[in-house]
Amino acid sequence: MKTRLFVRDGDKVEIAAKLDLIASPQNSGWLYLGQARYFEPRPRDKNEDLDSREEKGDFKNFGFDYSRVWVTDNISKVEEARNEQVRRTKSEIDREYRKLKPSEREYHRNITDYEKIGWVSDGYFLKDGFWSLVHGGAAWFEASEHSELVNLGTRKLSGKLSSWFKYEKIVATYSGDFDRTRRYGESSKHNNMDFLWNRWKEVFSGNDPDRIPTFTLERHQAKTRMIGRALVDGNTHRSFLETADFGKAPPELARYDNPDLDFAAAKSIFPDLIDIFVSPSQDTAFFLTAMEMIAIDTATGKELFRENHELKFNKVVMVEWAVGGHVGRWRNELSN
């Protein structure tokens, strides 16, 4: 995870800060977020079947591979926050492990519990992740995806999709005429409202809280869009989050978004275009391509900046702007 601060001064644009973490401006001050990993390279208990398969070279056993998001409001305590998250993660594993019966422990191995930041803004961040267990049985492994909103301030936002849209809107969006490709290669269409109604009526009644549809935010064609995520079964051992696009993110979740843009026209100029970011003052447009960041003055079309960003990433998770006197304060905070 990385943060880049671009600053325009007159006709000059520069990269004012480069950080190997997420630096999020909040109403109450800055927060810093990142990912911590806890890994046990060997299982805690023996399992004759799985150990013999490793000896044959079928696969590599391990114990636990967990990742968690850490947060701190002090940039000087980033390492401390990361280490504390690792300690908490190990304690979480130890606590759950102690609950297991001795006969269950030999199967409590090869567990991956992964989470990352899906989006972050003032007052909250979204976590996306998955869990898997390789047990070597007939199905070989179990797996499930998950998504969650984490509040950062006193204002409480809901991570439930039903808090933002009525039930009928959710079902209608999911049952619209769109292709759905499962993780396992099956492609189908859901056009039957009754099918979804019966399938999810228990979910929306709250009887199965682990399956209540959530959401994440994603950038698509220079817009921040709200993507529904509903847990469905791929088979009896594996579940995944089925997605549906609910349109532009509500202003409570994305304080500023681009004006309407002709993304296709921009992509004809920059074939490897990923995203466009337009300043609130509408005078500067940043074009993010697979290799470069390019800044253009919107009034004159003059190119102000072009540089290889040297970033390897799969998703933009934060877009924030500062104007006026806030620019200097952001620069001072992030460049020191």
Side-chain angles (χ1 to χ4, degrees):
M1 286 178 277
K2 299 179 183 295
T3 298
R4 296 291 183 265
L5 175 64
F6 294 88
V7 174
R8 177 175 180 177
D9 185 3
D11 281 346
K12 180 182 178 183
V13 173
E14 63 174 328
I15 302 178
K18 297 181 178 181
L19 295 90
D20 292 331
L21 45 73
I22 301 297
S24 175
Q26 306 279 314
N27 280 337
S28 57
W30 287 87
L31 286 181
Y32 303 92
L33 304 92
Q35 191 179 52
R37 182 191 184 199
Y38 175 76
F39 180 61
E40 289 188 13
R42 300 301 307 163
R44 296 185 180 187
D45 289 271
K46 293 185 178 298
N47 179 306
E48 291 184 4
D49 181 45
L50 291 174
D51 291 340
S52 66
R53 294 191 187 200
E54 181 175 33
E55 291 174 3
K56 294 176 184 177
D58 291 346
F59 80 109
K60 178 70 173 176
N61 276 294
F62 64 93
F64 305 98
D65 192 356
Y66 279 47
S67 67
R68 293 289 184 267
V69 176
W70 55 262
V71 182
T72 181
D73 61 359
N74 190 332
I75 197 169
S76 67
K77 295 185 177 180
V78 164
E79 192 64 26
E80 179 181 330
R82 183 183 293 114
N83 292 339
E84 176 58 28
Q85 183 61 70
V86 170
R87 286 191 291 270
R88 285 200 300 268
T89 302
K90 182 180 184 303
S91 295
E92 171 192 342
I93 293 171
D94 292 342
R95 184 169 56 252
E96 294 302 313
Y97 188 78
R98 285 192 296 269
K99 295 178 181 178
L100 297 172
K101 298 176 182 178
S103 60
E104 298 173 326
R105 291 182 176 180
E106 64 177 297
Y107 302 102
H108 206 66
R109 55 158 68 191
N110 304 311
I111 295 177
T112 300
D113 194 342
Y114 178 83
E115 67 180 32
K116 65 179 181 179
I117 296 172
W119 188 264
V120 60
S121 190
D122 182 37
Y124 74 97
F125 72 93
L126 295 163
K127 290 193 300 186
D128 300 328
F130 67 88
W131 174 91
S132 69
L133 163 67
V134 180
H135 49 67
W140 188 247
F141 76 97
E142 299 175 17
S144 181
E145 295 182 300
H146 54 84
S147 186
E148 178 186 356
L149 183 145
V150 179
N151 284 289
L152 296 171
T154 56
R155 183 178 60 141
K156 299 303 179 184
L157 296 168
S158 174
K160 297 178 182 179
L161 192 59
S162 57
S163 296
W164 301 89
F165 299 99
K166 292 183 178 180
Y167 176 77
E168 291 77 12
K169 167 67 174 178
I170 296 173
V171 174
T173 302
Y174 267 99
S175 62
D177 188 18
F178 67 91
D179 286 319
R180 182 194 60 155
T181 302
R182 286 187 173 184
R183 300 290 188 271
Y184 311 105
E186 178 186 346
S187 182
S188 63
K189 288 186 177 182
H190 283 325
N191 297 314
N192 189 331
M193 181 79 80
D194 291 334
F195 170 78
L196 283 177
W197 183 279
N198 292 327
R199 183 181 185 181
W200 284 347
K201 64 182 179 182
E202 288 299 313
V203 170
F204 281 92
S205 70
N207 293 338
D208 192 351
D210 291 336
R211 287 180 176 265
I212 292 177
T214 58
F215 64 86
T216 191
L217 298 186
E218 293 181 357
R219 297 283 298 177
H220 290 294
Q221 297 192 347
K223 293 291 185 182
T224 307
R225 303 187 72 83
M226 195 171 191
I227 308 299
R229 296 166 70 85
L231 190 65
V232 297
D233 294 328
N235 58 31
T236 56
H237 298 276
R238 294 181 275 280
S239 302
F240 66 95
L241 290 167
E242 185 173 336
T243 63
D245 191 336
F246 283 79
K248 186 177 178 181
E252 297 93 332
L253 297 173
R255 292 177 295 182
Y256 166 76
D257 208 5
N258 287 340
D260 291 334
L261 300 169
D262 190 337
F263 191 83
K267 197 169 179 64
S268 69
I269 300 172
F270 306 107
D272 58 350
L273 182 66
I274 295 172
D275 209 337
I276 306 171
F277 314 104
V278 181
S279 64
S281 55
Q282 311 290 294
D283 61 351
T284 313
F286 291 86
F287 295 80
L288 174 66
T289 74
M291 299 296 294
E292 297 179 306
M293 180 68 89
I294 303 157
I296 293 176
D297 182 89
T298 57
T300 64
K302 178 182 178 182
E303 185 174 300
L304 306 174
F305 177 90
R306 181 188 290 258
E307 187 172 303
N308 190 322
H309 52 62
E310 299 179 342
L311 295 174
K312 295 180 180 180
F313 64 96
N314 60 5
K315 185 181 181 184
V316 174
V317 300
M318 181 182 71
V319 181
E320 299 288 350
W321 295 94
V323 296
H326 294 291
V327 176
R329 287 191 284 273
W330 282 30
R331 184 199 291 267
N332 290 338
E333 174 72 20
L334 300 185
S335 62
N336 292 330

PDB file of all heavy atoms in Angstrom, residues 275-307:
ATOM      1  N   ASP A 275      -7.444   5.557 -14.685  1.00  0.00           N
ATOM      2  CA  ASP A 275      -8.365   6.437 -13.966  1.00  0.00           C
ATOM      3  C   ASP A 275      -8.041   7.882 -14.300  1.00  0.00           C
ATOM      4  O   ASP A 275      -6.959   8.216 -14.816  1.00  0.00           O
ATOM      5  CB  ASP A 275      -8.226   6.209 -12.445  1.00  0.00           C
ATOM      6  CG  ASP A 275      -9.514   6.491 -11.693  1.00  0.00           C
ATOM      7  OD1 ASP A 275     -10.356   7.252 -12.209  1.00  0.00           O
ATOM      8  OD2 ASP A 275      -9.683   5.960 -10.584  1.00  0.00           O
ATOM      9  N   ILE A 276      -9.007   8.748 -13.998  1.00  0.00           N
ATOM     10  CA  ILE A 276      -8.839  10.201 -14.144  1.00  0.00           C
ATOM     11  C   ILE A 276      -9.296  10.848 -12.846  1.00  0.00           C
ATOM     12  O   ILE A 276     -10.329  10.469 -12.286  1.00  0.00           O
ATOM     13  CB  ILE A 276      -9.681  10.764 -15.307  1.00  0.00           C
ATOM     14  CG1 ILE A 276      -9.380  10.021 -16.605  1.00  0.00           C
ATOM     15  CG2 ILE A 276      -9.430  12.269 -15.476  1.00  0.00           C
ATOM     16  CD1 ILE A 276     -10.345  10.380 -17.740  1.00  0.00           C
ATOM     17  N   PHE A 277      -8.525  11.835 -12.372  1.00  0.00           N
ATOM     18  CA  PHE A 277      -8.878  12.560 -11.154  1.00  0.00           C
ATOM     19  C   PHE A 277      -8.888  14.055 -11.478  1.00  0.00           C
ATOM     20  O   PHE A 277      -7.883  14.611 -11.931  1.00  0.00           O
ATOM     21  CB  PHE A 277      -7.859  12.281 -10.042  1.00  0.00           C
ATOM     22  CG  PHE A 277      -7.530  10.823  -9.896  1.00  0.00           C
ATOM     23  CD1 PHE A 277      -6.322  10.323 -10.374  1.00  0.00           C
ATOM     24  CD2 PHE A 277      -8.418   9.949  -9.309  1.00  0.00           C
ATOM     25  CE1 PHE A 277      -6.013   8.979 -10.258  1.00  0.00           C
ATOM     26  CE2 PHE A 277      -8.118   8.602  -9.186  1.00  0.00           C
ATOM     27  CZ  PHE A 277      -6.908   8.108  -9.661  1.00  0.00           C
ATOM     28  N   VAL A 278     -10.028  14.713 -11.255  1.00  0.00           N
ATOM     29  CA  VAL A 278     -10.182  16.132 -11.557  1.00  0.00           C
ATOM     30  C   VAL A 278     -10.297  16.899 -10.245  1.00  0.00           C
ATOM     31  O   VAL A 278     -11.096  16.539  -9.372  1.00  0.00           O
ATOM     32  CB  VAL A 278     -11.421  16.397 -12.428  1.00  0.00           C
ATOM     33  CG1 VAL A 278     -11.551  17.883 -12.742  1.00  0.00           C
ATOM     34  CG2 VAL A 278     -11.341  15.584 -13.721  1.00  0.00           C
ATOM     35  N   SER A 279      -9.522  17.960 -10.102  1.00  0.00           N
ATOM     36  CA  SER A 279      -9.507  18.724  -8.860  1.00  0.00           C
ATOM     37  C   SER A 279     -10.846  19.395  -8.601  1.00  0.00           C
ATOM     38  O   SER A 279     -11.593  19.689  -9.546  1.00  0.00           O
ATOM     39  CB  SER A 279      -8.408  19.797  -8.921  1.00  0.00           C
ATOM     40  OG  SER A 279      -8.699  20.739  -9.948  1.00  0.00           O
ATOM     41  N   PRO A 280     -11.199  19.635  -7.327  1.00  0.00           N
ATOM     42  CA  PRO A 280     -12.471  20.313  -7.017  1.00  0.00           C
ATOM     43  C   PRO A 280     -12.597  21.677  -7.685  1.00  0.00           C
ATOM     44  O   PRO A 280     -13.709  22.115  -7.999  1.00  0.00           O
ATOM     45  CB  PRO A 280     -12.435  20.435  -5.487  1.00  0.00           C
ATOM     46  CG  PRO A 280     -11.529  19.337  -5.046  1.00  0.00           C
ATOM     47  CD  PRO A 280     -10.482  19.214  -6.111  1.00  0.00           C
ATOM     48  N   SER A 281     -11.464  22.359  -7.925  1.00  0.00           N
ATOM     49  CA  SER A 281     -11.496  23.654  -8.613  1.00  0.00           C
ATOM     50  C   SER A 281     -11.646  23.491 -10.125  1.00  0.00           C
ATOM     51  O   SER A 281     -11.769  24.500 -10.839  1.00  0.00           O
ATOM     52  CB  SER A 281     -10.210  24.434  -8.306  1.00  0.00           C
ATOM     53  OG  SER A 281      -9.066  23.659  -8.641  1.00  0.00           O
ATOM     54  N   GLN A 282     -11.634  22.247 -10.613  1.00  0.00           N
ATOM     55  CA  GLN A 282     -11.850  21.915 -12.023  1.00  0.00           C
ATOM     56  C   GLN A 282     -10.737  22.425 -12.935  1.00  0.00           C
ATOM     57  O   GLN A 282     -10.910  22.458 -14.160  1.00  0.00           O
ATOM     58  CB  GLN A 282     -13.193  22.470 -12.511  1.00  0.00           C
ATOM     59  CG  GLN A 282     -14.369  22.151 -11.614  1.00  0.00           C
ATOM     60  CD  GLN A 282     -14.758  20.689 -11.619  1.00  0.00           C
ATOM     61  OE1 GLN A 282     -15.195  20.166 -12.620  1.00  0.00           O
ATOM     62  NE2 GLN A 282     -14.596  20.028 -10.490  1.00  0.00           N
ATOM     63  N   ASP A 283      -9.593  22.807 -12.382  1.00  0.00           N
ATOM     64  CA  ASP A 283      -8.542  23.371 -13.233  1.00  0.00           C
ATOM     65  C   ASP A 283      -7.443  22.377 -13.585  1.00  0.00           C
ATOM     66  O   ASP A 283      -6.627  22.638 -14.469  1.00  0.00           O
ATOM     67  CB  ASP A 283      -7.927  24.615 -12.586  1.00  0.00           C
ATOM     68  CG  ASP A 283      -7.271  24.313 -11.246  1.00  0.00           C
ATOM     69  OD1 ASP A 283      -7.444  23.184 -10.729  1.00  0.00           O
ATOM     70  OD2 ASP A 283      -6.604  25.209 -10.699  1.00  0.00           O
ATOM     71  N   THR A 284      -7.410  21.236 -12.914  1.00  0.00           N
ATOM     72  CA  THR A 284      -6.344  20.264 -13.138  1.00  0.00           C
ATOM     73  C   THR A 284      -6.934  18.861 -13.249  1.00  0.00           C
ATOM     74  O   THR A 284      -7.771  18.477 -12.437  1.00  0.00           O
ATOM     75  CB  THR A 284      -5.319  20.277 -11.988  1.00  0.00           C
ATOM     76  OG1 THR A 284      -4.961  21.621 -11.679  1.00  0.00           O
ATOM     77  CG2 THR A 284      -4.069  19.490 -12.364  1.00  0.00           C
ATOM     78  N   ALA A 285      -6.484  18.128 -14.249  1.00  0.00           N
ATOM     79  CA  ALA A 285      -6.890  16.733 -14.414  1.00  0.00           C
ATOM     80  C   ALA A 285      -5.650  15.854 -14.391  1.00  0.00           C
ATOM     81  O   ALA A 285      -4.668  16.137 -15.090  1.00  0.00           O
ATOM     82  CB  ALA A 285      -7.652  16.537 -15.717  1.00  0.00           C
ATOM     83  N   PHE A 286      -5.691  14.814 -13.571  1.00  0.00           N
ATOM     84  CA  PHE A 286      -4.601  13.846 -13.494  1.00  0.00           C
ATOM     85  C   PHE A 286      -5.055  12.565 -14.184  1.00  0.00           C
ATOM     86  O   PHE A 286      -6.126  12.024 -13.882  1.00  0.00           O
ATOM     87  CB  PHE A 286      -4.246  13.549 -12.041  1.00  0.00           C
ATOM     88  CG  PHE A 286      -3.591  14.688 -11.312  1.00  0.00           C
ATOM     89  CD1 PHE A 286      -4.353  15.666 -10.698  1.00  0.00           C
ATOM     90  CD2 PHE A 286      -2.210  14.793 -11.248  1.00  0.00           C
ATOM     91  CE1 PHE A 286      -3.759  16.716 -10.029  1.00  0.00           C
ATOM     92  CE2 PHE A 286      -1.604  15.843 -10.580  1.00  0.00           C
ATOM     93  CZ  PHE A 286      -2.377  16.813  -9.960  1.00  0.00           C
ATOM     94  N   PHE A 287      -4.231  12.073 -15.088  1.00  0.00           N
ATOM     95  CA  PHE A 287      -4.522  10.853 -15.831  1.00  0.00           C
ATOM     96  C   PHE A 287      -3.560   9.766 -15.351  1.00  0.00           C
ATOM     97  O   PHE A 287      -2.342   9.879 -15.529  1.00  0.00           O
ATOM     98  CB  PHE A 287      -4.355  11.088 -17.330  1.00  0.00           C
ATOM     99  CG  PHE A 287      -5.332  12.076 -17.906  1.00  0.00           C
ATOM    100  CD1 PHE A 287      -5.121  13.447 -17.771  1.00  0.00           C
ATOM    101  CD2 PHE A 287      -6.475  11.646 -18.566  1.00  0.00           C
ATOM    102  CE1 PHE A 287      -6.024  14.362 -18.294  1.00  0.00           C
ATOM    103  CE2 PHE A 287      -7.381  12.558 -19.087  1.00  0.00           C
ATOM    104  CZ  PHE A 287      -7.160  13.916 -18.951  1.00  0.00           C
ATOM    105  N   LEU A 288      -4.131   8.739 -14.750  1.00  0.00           N
ATOM    106  CA  LEU A 288      -3.336   7.612 -14.267  1.00  0.00           C
ATOM    107  C   LEU A 288      -3.362   6.504 -15.316  1.00  0.00           C
ATOM    108  O   LEU A 288      -4.427   5.955 -15.630  1.00  0.00           O
ATOM    109  CB  LEU A 288      -3.903   7.093 -12.944  1.00  0.00           C
ATOM    110  CG  LEU A 288      -3.272   5.815 -12.376  1.00  0.00           C
ATOM    111  CD1 LEU A 288      -1.817   6.045 -11.977  1.00  0.00           C
ATOM    112  CD2 LEU A 288      -4.071   5.320 -11.172  1.00  0.00           C
ATOM    113  N   THR A 289      -2.201   6.180 -15.855  1.00  0.00           N
ATOM    114  CA  THR A 289      -2.081   5.065 -16.788  1.00  0.00           C
ATOM    115  C   THR A 289      -1.336   3.931 -16.104  1.00  0.00           C
ATOM    116  O   THR A 289      -0.923   4.041 -14.944  1.00  0.00           O
ATOM    117  CB  THR A 289      -1.338   5.486 -18.065  1.00  0.00           C
ATOM    118  OG1 THR A 289       0.062   5.618 -17.788  1.00  0.00           O
ATOM    119  CG2 THR A 289      -1.886   6.808 -18.606  1.00  0.00           C
ATOM    120  N   ALA A 290      -1.155   2.845 -16.812  1.00  0.00           N
ATOM    121  CA  ALA A 290      -0.472   1.702 -16.224  1.00  0.00           C
ATOM    122  C   ALA A 290       0.954   2.035 -15.826  1.00  0.00           C
ATOM    123  O   ALA A 290       1.503   1.429 -14.895  1.00  0.00           O
ATOM    124  CB  ALA A 290      -0.478   0.530 -17.199  1.00  0.00           C
ATOM    125  N   MET A 291       1.556   3.021 -16.489  1.00  0.00           N
ATOM    126  CA  MET A 291       2.956   3.342 -16.223  1.00  0.00           C
ATOM    127  C   MET A 291       3.185   4.754 -15.715  1.00  0.00           C
ATOM    128  O   MET A 291       4.148   4.996 -14.986  1.00  0.00           O
ATOM    129  CB  MET A 291       3.780   3.157 -17.513  1.00  0.00           C
ATOM    130  CG  MET A 291       3.767   1.737 -18.062  1.00  0.00           C
ATOM    131  SD  MET A 291       4.530   0.542 -16.941  1.00  0.00           S
ATOM    132  CE  MET A 291       6.231   1.125 -16.984  1.00  0.00           C
ATOM    133  N   GLU A 292       2.300   5.704 -16.074  1.00  0.00           N
ATOM    134  CA  GLU A 292       2.574   7.109 -15.812  1.00  0.00           C
ATOM    135  C   GLU A 292       1.431   7.805 -15.084  1.00  0.00           C
ATOM    136  O   GLU A 292       0.284   7.358 -15.126  1.00  0.00           O
ATOM    137  CB  GLU A 292       2.831   7.859 -17.129  1.00  0.00           C
ATOM    138  CG  GLU A 292       4.039   7.407 -17.897  1.00  0.00           C
ATOM    139  CD  GLU A 292       4.198   8.185 -19.197  1.00  0.00           C
ATOM    140  OE1 GLU A 292       3.229   8.227 -19.979  1.00  0.00           O
ATOM    141  OE2 GLU A 292       5.280   8.751 -19.425  1.00  0.00           O
ATOM    142  N   MET A 293       1.786   8.947 -14.444  1.00  0.00           N
ATOM    143  CA  MET A 293       0.803   9.926 -13.999  1.00  0.00           C
ATOM    144  C   MET A 293       1.047  11.181 -14.822  1.00  0.00           C
ATOM    145  O   MET A 293       2.178  11.674 -14.911  1.00  0.00           O
ATOM    146  CB  MET A 293       0.937  10.224 -12.515  1.00  0.00           C
ATOM    147  CG  MET A 293      -0.069  11.254 -12.009  1.00  0.00           C
ATOM    148  SD  MET A 293      -1.784  10.649 -12.024  1.00  0.00           S
ATOM    149  CE  MET A 293      -1.869   9.898 -10.386  1.00  0.00           C
ATOM    150  N   ILE A 294      -0.033  11.702 -15.418  1.00  0.00           N
ATOM    151  CA  ILE A 294       0.063  12.860 -16.298  1.00  0.00           C
ATOM    152  C   ILE A 294      -0.911  13.916 -15.793  1.00  0.00           C
ATOM    153  O   ILE A 294      -2.078  13.618 -15.530  1.00  0.00           O
ATOM    154  CB  ILE A 294      -0.292  12.481 -17.749  1.00  0.00           C
ATOM    155  CG1 ILE A 294       0.619  11.338 -18.236  1.00  0.00           C
ATOM    156  CG2 ILE A 294      -0.208  13.692 -18.679  1.00  0.00           C
ATOM    157  CD1 ILE A 294       0.032  10.539 -19.358  1.00  0.00           C
ATOM    158  N   ALA A 295      -0.447  15.146 -15.635  1.00  0.00           N
ATOM    159  CA  ALA A 295      -1.296  16.250 -15.190  1.00  0.00           C
ATOM    160  C   ALA A 295      -1.467  17.248 -16.319  1.00  0.00           C
ATOM    161  O   ALA A 295      -0.482  17.627 -16.975  1.00  0.00           O
ATOM    162  CB  ALA A 295      -0.694  16.937 -13.972  1.00  0.00           C
ATOM    163  N   ILE A 296      -2.710  17.694 -16.535  1.00  0.00           N
ATOM    164  CA  ILE A 296      -3.026  18.607 -17.623  1.00  0.00           C
ATOM    165  C   ILE A 296      -3.879  19.746 -17.095  1.00  0.00           C
ATOM    166  O   ILE A 296      -4.801  19.531 -16.292  1.00  0.00           O
ATOM    167  CB  ILE A 296      -3.759  17.870 -18.758  1.00  0.00           C
ATOM    168  CG1 ILE A 296      -2.825  16.854 -19.418  1.00  0.00           C
ATOM    169  CG2 ILE A 296      -4.313  18.841 -19.800  1.00  0.00           C
ATOM    170  CD1 ILE A 296      -3.475  16.015 -20.488  1.00  0.00           C
ATOM    171  N   ASP A 297      -3.574  20.975 -17.531  1.00  0.00           N
ATOM    172  CA  ASP A 297      -4.413  22.127 -17.213  1.00  0.00           C
ATOM    173  C   ASP A 297      -5.673  22.037 -18.062  1.00  0.00           C
ATOM    174  O   ASP A 297      -5.603  21.980 -19.299  1.00  0.00           O
ATOM    175  CB  ASP A 297      -3.658  23.429 -17.510  1.00  0.00           C
ATOM    176  CG  ASP A 297      -4.474  24.650 -17.151  1.00  0.00           C
ATOM    177  OD1 ASP A 297      -4.388  25.106 -16.000  1.00  0.00           O
ATOM    178  OD2 ASP A 297      -5.227  25.141 -18.037  1.00  0.00           O
ATOM    179  N   THR A 298      -6.837  22.033 -17.425  1.00  0.00           N
ATOM    180  CA  THR A 298      -8.080  21.783 -18.152  1.00  0.00           C
ATOM    181  C   THR A 298      -8.487  22.952 -19.045  1.00  0.00           C
ATOM    182  O   THR A 298      -9.194  22.756 -20.035  1.00  0.00           O
ATOM    183  CB  THR A 298      -9.218  21.471 -17.173  1.00  0.00           C
ATOM    184  OG1 THR A 298      -9.358  22.562 -16.250  1.00  0.00           O
ATOM    185  CG2 THR A 298      -8.930  20.199 -16.391  1.00  0.00           C
ATOM    186  N   ALA A 299      -8.056  24.167 -18.700  1.00  0.00           N
ATOM    187  CA  ALA A 299      -8.444  25.337 -19.493  1.00  0.00           C
ATOM    188  C   ALA A 299      -7.658  25.420 -20.796  1.00  0.00           C
ATOM    189  O   ALA A 299      -8.210  25.750 -21.859  1.00  0.00           O
ATOM    190  CB  ALA A 299      -8.257  26.606 -18.678  1.00  0.00           C
ATOM    191  N   THR A 300      -6.367  25.135 -20.734  1.00  0.00           N
ATOM    192  CA  THR A 300      -5.492  25.311 -21.903  1.00  0.00           C
ATOM    193  C   THR A 300      -5.118  23.991 -22.572  1.00  0.00           C
ATOM    194  O   THR A 300      -4.649  23.999 -23.715  1.00  0.00           O
ATOM    195  CB  THR A 300      -4.201  26.030 -21.483  1.00  0.00           C
ATOM    196  OG1 THR A 300      -3.476  25.194 -20.560  1.00  0.00           O
ATOM    197  CG2 THR A 300      -4.520  27.358 -20.817  1.00  0.00           C
ATOM    198  N   GLY A 301      -5.283  22.889 -21.877  1.00  0.00           N
ATOM    199  CA  GLY A 301      -4.830  21.610 -22.408  1.00  0.00           C
ATOM    200  C   GLY A 301      -3.338  21.398 -22.290  1.00  0.00           C
ATOM    201  O   GLY A 301      -2.793  20.418 -22.803  1.00  0.00           O
ATOM    202  N   LYS A 302      -2.672  22.307 -21.584  1.00  0.00           N
ATOM    203  CA  LYS A 302      -1.213  22.218 -21.445  1.00  0.00           C
ATOM    204  C   LYS A 302      -0.832  21.093 -20.489  1.00  0.00           C
ATOM    205  O   LYS A 302      -1.413  20.948 -19.422  1.00  0.00           O
ATOM    206  CB  LYS A 302      -0.667  23.547 -20.919  1.00  0.00           C
ATOM    207  CG  LYS A 302       0.831  23.565 -20.698  1.00  0.00           C
ATOM    208  CD  LYS A 302       1.286  24.911 -20.131  1.00  0.00           C
ATOM    209  CE  LYS A 302       2.779  24.914 -19.856  1.00  0.00           C
ATOM    210  NZ  LYS A 302       3.218  26.217 -19.264  1.00  0.00           N
ATOM    211  N   GLU A 303       0.159  20.315 -20.898  1.00  0.00           N
ATOM    212  CA  GLU A 303       0.660  19.253 -20.040  1.00  0.00           C
ATOM    213  C   GLU A 303       1.580  19.861 -18.982  1.00  0.00           C
ATOM    214  O   GLU A 303       2.559  20.543 -19.300  1.00  0.00           O
ATOM    215  CB  GLU A 303       1.412  18.213 -20.860  1.00  0.00           C
ATOM    216  CG  GLU A 303       1.865  17.016 -20.037  1.00  0.00           C
ATOM    217  CD  GLU A 303       2.478  15.922 -20.882  1.00  0.00           C
ATOM    218  OE1 GLU A 303       1.782  15.386 -21.787  1.00  0.00           O
ATOM    219  OE2 GLU A 303       3.665  15.606 -20.643  1.00  0.00           O
ATOM    220  N   LEU A 304       1.240  19.632 -17.724  1.00  0.00           N
ATOM    221  CA  LEU A 304       1.997  20.209 -16.617  1.00  0.00           C
ATOM    222  C   LEU A 304       2.976  19.221 -15.992  1.00  0.00           C
ATOM    223  O   LEU A 304       3.950  19.633 -15.351  1.00  0.00           O
ATOM    224  CB  LEU A 304       1.035  20.690 -15.524  1.00  0.00           C
ATOM    225  CG  LEU A 304      -0.072  21.649 -15.953  1.00  0.00           C
ATOM    226  CD1 LEU A 304      -1.013  21.915 -14.779  1.00  0.00           C
ATOM    227  CD2 LEU A 304       0.511  22.946 -16.495  1.00  0.00           C
ATOM    228  N   PHE A 305       2.705  17.936 -16.178  1.00  0.00           N
ATOM    229  CA  PHE A 305       3.508  16.925 -15.473  1.00  0.00           C
ATOM    230  C   PHE A 305       3.337  15.588 -16.177  1.00  0.00           C
ATOM    231  O   PHE A 305       2.242  15.237 -16.621  1.00  0.00           O
ATOM    232  CB  PHE A 305       3.015  16.821 -14.022  1.00  0.00           C
ATOM    233  CG  PHE A 305       3.695  15.762 -13.192  1.00  0.00           C
ATOM    234  CD1 PHE A 305       4.841  16.048 -12.466  1.00  0.00           C
ATOM    235  CD2 PHE A 305       3.167  14.480 -13.119  1.00  0.00           C
ATOM    236  CE1 PHE A 305       5.453  15.080 -11.689  1.00  0.00           C
ATOM    237  CE2 PHE A 305       3.771  13.508 -12.341  1.00  0.00           C
ATOM    238  CZ  PHE A 305       4.917  13.806 -11.629  1.00  0.00           C
ATOM    239  N   ARG A 306       4.413  14.849 -16.272  1.00  0.00           N
ATOM    240  CA  ARG A 306       4.364  13.480 -16.782  1.00  0.00           C
ATOM    241  C   ARG A 306       5.553  12.729 -16.197  1.00  0.00           C
ATOM    242  O   ARG A 306       6.708  13.161 -16.363  1.00  0.00           O
ATOM    243  CB  ARG A 306       4.415  13.429 -18.304  1.00  0.00           C
ATOM    244  CG  ARG A 306       4.351  11.994 -18.867  1.00  0.00           C
ATOM    245  CD  ARG A 306       4.605  11.993 -20.360  1.00  0.00           C
ATOM    246  NE  ARG A 306       3.510  12.578 -21.104  1.00  0.00           N
ATOM    247  CZ  ARG A 306       2.592  11.884 -21.760  1.00  0.00           C
ATOM    248  NH1 ARG A 306       2.632  10.542 -21.753  1.00  0.00           N
ATOM    249  NH2 ARG A 306       1.641  12.496 -22.444  1.00  0.00           N
ATOM    250  N   GLU A 307       5.254  11.643 -15.504  1.00  0.00           N
ATOM    251  CA  GLU A 307       6.341  10.902 -14.869  1.00  0.00           C
ATOM    252  C   GLU A 307       5.918   9.440 -14.666  1.00  0.00           C
ATOM    253  O   GLU A 307       4.751   9.154 -14.381  1.00  0.00           O
ATOM    254  CB  GLU A 307       6.703  11.533 -13.517  1.00  0.00           C
ATOM    255  CG  GLU A 307       7.940  10.936 -12.868  1.00  0.00           C
ATOM    256  CD  GLU A 307       8.384  11.722 -11.635  1.00  0.00           C
ATOM    257  OE1 GLU A 307       8.632  12.938 -11.782  1.00  0.00           O
ATOM    258  OE2 GLU A 307       8.452  11.116 -10.546  1.00  0.00           O
TER     259      GLU A 307
END
